[in-house]
Amino acid sequence: MSTENLPQNPEQPPRKPRVAVVFGGRSSEHGISVVTAGAVLRAIDRTKYDVLPIGITKDGRWALTADEPERMAITERRTPSVEELAESSEGGVVLPVDPANREVVYSEPGSVPKALGEVDVVFPVLHGPYGEDGTLQGLLELSGVPYVGSGVLASAVGQDKEYMKRVFTSFGLKVGPYVVIRPREWERDESAARKKIVDFAGEHGWPLFVKPARAGSSIGITKVDDLSGLDEAIAEAQRHDPKILVEAALRGREIECGVLEFEDGPRASVPAEIPPPQEHAYYDFEAKYIDSTPGIVPAPLTPEETAEVQKLAVDAFEAASCEGLVRADFFLTEDGEFVINEINTLPGFTPISMYPQMWEKSGIAYPELVDRLIEAALRRSTGLR
């Protein structure tokens, strides 16, 4: 019997790449990470990708969470948490550590583990330690799973403001005056460590900015106007990181610039300016995320200034061996010189964050920006590159 006229089984359509959006985490930036995840989940093209939201609780448990971006927003001046979104208070998600196996498994006490399917790429939207600092990136390298953003070295350098500045200086980028107090210095002789800061103030003047060396979102930072506020500022910074960084105040305008990795290399966005917030001493956490102090995009710079800061942003990206994306923050001093303050390898990514705003004004809307980052991650292999 001929089979020519029998109905044929159509070929199975190719499986869509699966994106695990990992968010939350153990750092003090947990809540902002959840807000960022909500925005990314809304923006991912579901016709092109399958999505698996994975939240990390404040104590480090990897939880399966609901795919409900509307619950991941700041409400009544309060940030959300993974604990509120987790489908179980005890269940845990396990990422494979075998590069030959990308199957994610979910288990609960007393239950048979359940396979959640393979993950093709991870979109980490973790900010701060235990996520942005190379730790998660190292785990993903061991697992052989591609991921959005910079690798282990660049992530670690981008998180530690001391070594970030050392790298920039070695590549000829200008940084402002700073001094570092390491944990052993403080433990060995508090008086000597405090004197080191006082001597720094004597050389560069007040105010100073005392901050955790390895934190972000302006959490733990204090502007210190005189000696009377120093001890409290040190204690606040040490609440978030035993290593602290003290910076001299720079007189000038705050300018930011985004960098995005394209097929032919990194390119810079139009820059933005952060005007001095009206109700805050500086551009702190409340000004950034709660009161949403608006930036000026594009920044009112001359064409020459714009070109210079864009070049410097790409130079910083390359100096730290970054991949995917970076937000580079500068001061334009009163004498017309750009001084780099820091880079963020996983910058704030909420719709009101400056990085997406700068790229939108550069012609790349938020959903396309997310898509480009995922595609760039899928193009890269893990391992040495």
Side-chain angles (χ1 to χ4, degrees), residues 236-257:
E236 173 60 16
Q238 288 176 331
R239 265 195 338 111
H240 302 276
D241 187 349
K243 177 179 176 181
I244 66 172
L245 182 85
V246 181
E247 294 175 335
L250 293 176
R251 306 304 197 268
R253 298 160 62 188
E254 291 192 49
I255 305 294
E256 298 184 350
C257 191

Side-chain angles (χ1 to χ4, degrees), residues 65 81 86 268 280 293:
T65 67
S81 71
H280 301 267
T293 300

Side-chain angles (χ1 to χ4, degrees), residues 256-271 306-318 322-328 330 355 358-360 362-364 368-369 372-373 376 379:
E256 298 184 350
C257 191
V259 180
L260 179 64
E261 183 182 355
F262 287 74
E263 291 84 345
D264 59 352
R267 302 182 201 170
S269 69
V270 299
T306 295
E308 183 180 358
V309 76
Q310 288 174 325
K311 176 184 180 303
L312 290 172
V314 172
D315 287 349
F317 183 96
E318 298 282 30
C322 296
E323 295 169 293
L325 72 164
V326 149
R327 193 194 72 234
F330 298 85
Y355 185 86
M358 288 186 286
W359 278 109
E360 184 167 7
S362 303
I364 298 178
E368 183 186 350
L369 184 60
R372 282 184 174 273
L373 289 168
R379 285 196 302 269

Side-chain angles (χ1 to χ4, degrees), residues 286-308:
E286 296 271 328
K288 283 181 181 179
Y289 295 109
I290 304 302
D291 295 327
S292 303
T293 300
I296 303 170
V297 191
L301 300 170
T302 67
E304 293 77 17
E305 289 170 336
T306 295
E308 183 180 358

Side-chain angles (χ1 to χ4, degrees), residues 3 22 48 53 61 67 81 112-113 132 156 169 172 183 191 193 250 264 267 288-289 298 307 316 357 378:
T3 60
V22 181
K48 187 174 180 179
R61 179 173 62 92
D67 186 2
S81 71
V112 177
E132 189 180 351
T169 300
S191 296
L250 293 176
D264 59 352
R267 302 182 201 170
K288 283 181 181 179
Y289 295 109
Q357 287 191 55
L378 288 168

